[in-house]
Amino acid sequence: MTVDDTENWHAVYQRLAQVVGVVATKKICAYFGGSQITFPRRLLDRKKEAMAIRQAYNQGVSVAMLAHDHNYSSRTIRRILAKPEA
């Protein structure tokens, strides 16, 4: 049994290797091994995205276009626009 044989790896590392490659998976394991990691569903920081949405809206981008571009509903965009800036 060797470390280089991905068939011997935990399932999560096998799946990760399929996405990012074996070398990157080994680096991630070495750096984060033993840690509990949870990835947010959305890549962008909420506050920064809200700021970008407000800026685009103030420049004339429609709610419908913002919803499409940011993968939100129009209702969510209006909710973001209604909140005061932090």
Side-chain angles (χ1 to χ4, degrees), residues 26-33 35:
K26 286 181 179 180
K27 287 180 183 179
I28 291 168
C29 180
Y31 189 80
F32 293 106
S35 300

Side-chain angles (χ1 to χ4, degrees), residues 2-83:
T2 68
V3 157
D4 291 326
D5 186 3
T6 59
E7 290 181 12
N8 296 325
W9 292 5
H10 285 277
V12 69
Y13 287 120
Q14 289 178 354
R15 290 192 306 266
L16 187 60
Q18 290 173 347
V19 174
V20 300
V22 171
V23 173
T25 300
K26 286 181 179 180
K27 287 180 183 179
I28 291 168
C29 180
Y31 189 80
F32 293 106
S35 300
Q36 189 75 20
I37 301 174
T38 303
F39 292 99
R41 290 195 180 272
R42 299 188 68 84
L43 183 62
L44 298 177
D45 177 80
R46 283 185 179 189
K47 290 180 182 180
K48 291 178 183 177
E49 186 175 24
M51 188 169 55
I53 288 170
R54 284 190 194 93
Q55 288 174 346
Y57 181 77
N58 291 336
Q59 293 174 355
V61 179
S62 71
V63 169
M65 184 59 72
L66 288 167
H68 179 267
D69 291 349
H70 291 270
N71 199 28
Y72 283 127
S73 67
S74 293
R75 180 180 178 185
T76 298
I77 294 295
R78 285 191 295 276
R79 192 176 315 140
I80 290 168
L81 293 171
K83 285 184 183 178

